[in-house]
């Protein structure tokens, strides 16, 4: 699943530990990968599923305790 025109969060440059993800639009999906491991695993989500994930992250639902 090729990732073209990847985007990384503008906040990733401010992160001390460089925990970043990159996203790219693919046919019918949004593809997410770890920016430190470009050859590593990718997650493909439909656009609505990606929006649901982003909203949950913003609400802190996936924060580590």
């Amino acid at each position: 699943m090729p990732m073209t025109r990847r985007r990384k969060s503008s906040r990733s440059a401010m992160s001390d530990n460089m925990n970043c993800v990159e996203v790219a639009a693919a046919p019918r999906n949004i593809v997410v990968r770890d920016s430190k491991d470009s050859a590593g695993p990718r997650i493909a989500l439909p656009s609505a599923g990606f929006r649901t994930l982003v909203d949950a992250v913003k609400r802190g639902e996936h924060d580590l305790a």
Side-chain angles (χ1 to χ4, degrees):
M1 145 182 11
M3 284 185 70
T4 59
R5 302 190 80 200
R6 293 178 296 275
R7 294 178 57 194
K8 189 180 345 180
S9 169
S10 59
R11 292 183 173 209
S12 60
M14 295 183 274
S15 174
D16 289 337
N17 55 10
M18 299 304 288
N19 290 327
C20 311
V21 296
E22 294 176 335
V23 297
R28 300 186 316 264
N29 291 307
I30 304 296
V31 182
V32 182
R33 75 176 185 187
D34 182 342
S35 64
K36 296 180 300 301
D37 186 7
S38 62
R42 297 177 175 135
I43 299 170
L45 299 165
S47 296
F50 180 74
R51 172 54 44 205
T52 299
L53 174 62
V54 169
D55 291 342
V57 168
K58 286 180 179 181
R59 288 190 301 270
E61 293 179 15
H62 298 286
D63 290 355
L64 298 175

